[in-house]
């Protein structure tokens, strides 16, 4: 009955069969120099929207990924998925596009990570939900900075 989860600071927690048994793994790439940061991200989006993410590190960011919050049991993560956001950088702004397929970007909570070649960023938290017109949207809920 063990499980592993990606934490908002990009570390990994692994819990064992015993109630209070866990360990936190810090992957080596988190120690490969300064980590990129996300300064701003939109508070609400509709699937297919184009939007901006800003960062003082935009010139070195190579990937923007939304990773769905885990839903694990018996060592299986039923909600594991990653949304790789296409983007173009202009100064400190990354102009992104969220996909249009609601079967890929299913409603729920996601973490937004900015990656450079050697490291991973702290991230923002986003939720993809459905509004009364049943059209999926994305909401940025809050930033996790130095939580762990």
């Amino acid at each position: 009955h063990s499980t592993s989860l990606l934490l908002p600071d990009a570390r990994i927690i692994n819990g064992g069969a015993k109630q209070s048994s866990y360990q936190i793994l810090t992957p080596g790439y988190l120690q490969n120099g300064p980590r990129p940061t996300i300064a701003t991200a939109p508070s609400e989006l509709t699937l297919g929207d184009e939007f901006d993410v800003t960062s003082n590190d935009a010139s070195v960011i190579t990937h923007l990924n939304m990773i769905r919050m885990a839903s694990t049991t018996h060592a299986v993560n039923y909600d594991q998925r990653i949304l790789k956001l296409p983007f173009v950088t202009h100064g400190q702004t990354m102009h992104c596009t969220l996909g249009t397929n609601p079967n890929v970007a299913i409603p729920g909570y996601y973490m937004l990570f900015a990656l450079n070649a050697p490291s991973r960023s702290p991230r923002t938290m986003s939720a993809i939900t459905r509004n009364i017109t049943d059209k999926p949207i994305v909401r940025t809920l809050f930033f996790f900075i130095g939580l762990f």
Side-chain angles (χ1 to χ4, degrees), residues 109-124:
Y109 294 94
Y110 291 77
M111 294 179 283
L112 175 63
F113 287 90
L115 290 70
N116 63 11
S119 192
R120 294 354 181 221
S121 72
R123 83 304 330 125
T124 65

Side-chain angles (χ1 to χ4, degrees), residues 6 8 33 35 42 129:
L6 177 65
R35 297 170 67 185
T129 60

Side-chain angles (χ1 to χ4, degrees), residues 17-97:
K18 297 179 182 177
Q19 289 180 355
S20 62
S21 172
Y22 71 92
Q23 56 186 327
I24 296 177
L25 169 69
T26 302
Y29 58 76
L30 292 179
Q31 300 169 5
N32 289 346
R35 297 170 67 185
T37 59
I38 298 171
T40 64
S43 62
E44 186 171 309
L45 296 169
T46 301
L47 286 180
D49 275 358
E50 296 182 8
F51 61 98
D52 293 330
V53 174
T54 61
S55 171
N56 291 337
D57 305 309
S59 64
V60 298
I61 291 174
T62 57
H63 296 83
L64 286 173
N65 294 332
M66 292 179 72
I67 299 177
R68 184 168 164 83
M69 297 292 289
S71 173
T72 64
T73 184
H74 298 87
V76 177
N77 185 348
Y78 292 100
D79 284 332
Q80 184 174 353
R81 67 184 59 231
I82 184 171
L83 305 176
K84 295 182 178 187
L85 301 174
F87 68 95
V88 177
T89 302
H90 300 283
Q92 295 181 346
T93 301
M94 293 162 285
H95 188 71
C96 311
T97 304

Side-chain angles (χ1 to χ4, degrees), residues 84-148:
K84 295 182 178 187
L85 301 174
F87 68 95
V88 177
T89 302
H90 300 283
Q92 295 181 346
T93 301
M94 293 162 285
H95 188 71
C96 311
T97 304
L98 183 63
T100 59
N101 187 341
N103 296 316
V104 174
I106 62 174
Y109 294 94
Y110 291 77
M111 294 179 283
L112 175 63
F113 287 90
L115 290 70
N116 63 11
S119 192
R120 294 354 181 221
S121 72
R123 83 304 330 125
T124 65
M125 183 68 65
S126 300
I128 297 179
T129 60
R130 296 190 183 272
N131 60 23
I132 59 173
T133 62
D134 204 34
K135 191 171 184 182
I137 59 172
V138 174
R139 286 203 168 105
T140 300
L141 300 178
F142 41 51
F143 291 90
F144 285 107
I145 303 296
L147 182 63
F148 292 96

